[in-house]
Amino acid sequence: MSDTEPSLTFLLDWQAAELAAVEHMKALGFVDAQKTQSGADGGIDVESSEAAAQVKFYASSIGRPDIQRLRGAAHEYRISVFYSTGGYTREAVQYADQAAVALFAMDPYGQVEAASEFAVVLADSTLVQERRERFEELKAVRYRFAADSLDRDAQLYAQFGRLASMGQEEGAVFTHAAAAFESYARAFRTAALAKDFAAADEAFDEANKRIRLLRWITGNDLRDEYGSLEDAVSIGWEWEVTPGSDHLLQRVSMGAFNLRELVVESFEGWESLLPEDISTHNLADIEMGKYAGMLLSASYDPALLTPDLLRRLKEAVRAGVQRTHGTAAMAFRALFDANARLGLGRPSSLLARSLRVDALVNRLYQQLDAS
């Protein structure tokens, strides 16, 4: 009996066979299955976070050596899967049963049937449902991180709108686009919580379109457009502040380095207008970088330091964050005052940078408190 619904579409080439394998992998519960980039897979044609598959669009049977090569190429994955349009030799099936490789035979229309014992187990309906539910839970967590990132962006846009000096037309466009962005950010979170990932993807795309429009007003200093949803997931993960979460100290350490870099970059080209007591050396707090580096090293192995030393190290990082934030705040204020004396509004790039610095500092305090 076929493990997938008949597609009734004749497989014209190996690319069509790979697409059929992707759909079958998803039907097996590997919902994040996708084709690998051609030429960069080392023998792997389809992959998910848990499984890797090879697809052979051959008329002849696949032998044991091909199965062995897949095992070697897919050693980092929990499960290995093979698809063949030409069947398998008896030796290949015997080896696959011993090595726990799932063999599937694919007919000219992309219909798939189990060809080894492990493939039968892998296609068990109960296990498929459990696998699908587990993947959906993991995907929901990742989408929550992306939602956190969008929410933070919405807050920054709202702050920018309240503080920035904009002309009538520019202000109208900003208000409209920012409101739409916030609406799509809420829609993204709602769809993600409901595990309606297709609707979430649509909301994300619409939100990203608004960022592209808003960038003409805020510049890239507030938020560059997202290259993909994965970017939002990654940024959201960095901002995780749930008490007891894993890797909080790593996030604090990297955040401290990011803060120092952001502050130094913010004042490049403005040095001549800064007060004499504020220099690049002050902004690039060397002490904070040193303590952040030690905290990063210690965070990978709790046994490296006593609880008291770890607490003192965290307080040293907190003090560095306070110093850097205080120096940056004085520098921003001096530049804003200089522009005001000239009858000019706050430069949008500086305003955006100041908002990002404030947000990053608040996040670091929250993560230090939660770690």
Side-chain angles (χ1 to χ4, degrees):
M1 181 177 178
S2 173
D3 294 307
T4 60
E5 292 296 324
S7 64
L8 301 181
T9 301
F10 190 79
L11 301 179
L12 296 176
D13 52 26
W14 58 271
Q15 292 176 315
E18 288 183 359
L19 290 175
V22 169
E23 293 306 312
H24 185 256
M25 290 275 285
K26 290 180 179 179
L28 289 175
F30 301 106
V31 296
D32 59 342
Q34 60 182 349
K35 287 181 60 175
T36 59
Q37 293 183 350
S38 179
D41 55 17
I44 297 173
D45 301 309
V46 181
E47 65 178 353
S48 80
S49 53
E50 285 195 348
Q54 189 169 20
V55 183
K56 290 296 186 183
F57 188 68
Y58 290 172
S60 56
S61 300
I62 297 299
R64 172 173 173 160
D66 287 304
I67 311 302
Q68 289 177 311
R69 281 191 287 270
L70 172 62
R71 283 287 293 164
H75 67 279
E76 296 181 355
Y77 298 85
R78 194 169 67 86
I79 295 173
S80 301
V81 185
F82 208 110
Y83 294 91
S84 169
T85 57
Y88 302 91
T89 65
R90 182 168 58 184
E91 291 77 11
V93 174
Q94 290 174 345
Y95 173 77
D97 288 337
Q98 295 170 359
V101 177
L103 303 184
F104 290 97
M106 183 180 293
D107 75 7
Y109 294 93
Q111 298 181 63
V112 178
E113 292 185 352
S116 68
E117 292 181 3
F118 187 57
V120 173
V121 173
L122 200 64
D124 179 84
S125 59
T126 301
L127 296 178
V128 167
Q129 184 60 27
E130 291 178 356
R131 194 178 302 123
R132 182 176 289 112
E133 291 174 355
R134 184 174 70 253
F135 269 93
E136 286 185 346
E137 288 298 328
L138 292 173
K139 192 170 185 178
V141 170
R142 293 174 61 256
Y143 272 59
R144 178 176 64 80
F145 286 135
D148 291 343
S149 185
L150 292 178
D151 287 347
R152 181 182 67 91
D153 291 340
Q155 293 170 10
L156 290 176
Y157 283 123
Q159 289 179 286
F160 185 91
R162 289 193 295 269
L163 298 173
S165 299
M166 291 181 276
Q168 185 174 1
E169 291 78 9
E170 185 180 40
V173 171
F174 181 89
T175 300
H176 175 80
F181 175 84
E182 184 176 357
S183 177
Y184 283 117
R186 288 197 302 269
F188 178 88
R189 181 177 290 279
T190 299
L193 291 174
K195 298 179 182 177
D196 186 351
F197 301 119
D201 289 342
E202 291 180 5
F204 178 82
D205 288 342
E206 292 299 326
N208 211 21
K209 291 177 184 177
R210 272 64 188 182
I211 291 177
R212 296 190 193 108
L213 179 59
L214 291 166
R215 283 172 57 205
W216 289 100
I217 301 173
T218 65
N220 294 340
D221 298 293
L222 192 61
R223 153 62 56 205
D224 198 356
E225 66 179 293
Y226 291 103
S228 68
L229 180 64
E230 293 302 316
D231 290 344
V233 172
S234 177
I235 293 172
W237 184 88
E238 292 174 1
W239 285 72
E240 171 65 61
V241 294
T242 303
S245 298
D246 292 338
H247 313 299
L248 271 180
L249 291 182
Q250 286 96 319
R251 294 184 179 102
V252 169
S253 303
M254 298 310 299
F257 287 122
N258 291 340
L259 173 63
R260 188 174 67 171
E261 181 181 358
L262 176 61
V263 167
V264 172
E265 289 180 352
S266 295
F267 299 105
E268 290 179 351
W270 297 92
E271 291 88 352
S272 62
L273 296 177
L274 291 176
E276 292 183 359
D277 58 339
I278 298 179
S279 65
T280 304
H281 180 76
N282 298 134
L283 296 169
D285 195 307
I286 304 301
E287 286 293 300
M288 181 180 70
K290 179 173 66 177
Y291 287 120
M294 287 191 285
L295 184 62
L296 180 63
S297 298
S299 67
Y300 291 109
D301 186 355
L304 287 176
L305 296 176
T306 65
D308 181 62
L309 283 174
L310 184 60
R311 177 188 60 77
R312 291 164 61 182
L313 191 55
K314 288 166 58 179
E315 289 306 312
V317 172
R318 184 189 295 271
V321 171
Q322 290 173 333
R323 283 195 308 272
T324 301
H325 190 212
T327 304
M330 287 190 295
F332 281 123
R333 191 159 49 247
L335 294 178
F336 291 151
D337 289 344
N339 276 268
R341 288 193 294 271
L342 297 173
L344 303 174
R346 299 177 179 180
S348 60
S349 61
L350 280 179
L351 176 57
R353 289 277 180 156
S354 68
L355 294 176
R356 284 181 58 192
V357 168
D358 290 345
L360 180 51
V361 168
N362 290 334
R363 185 259 287 184
L364 287 171
Y365 288 152
Q366 292 172 355
Q367 290 176 331
L368 281 166
D369 291 339
S371 62

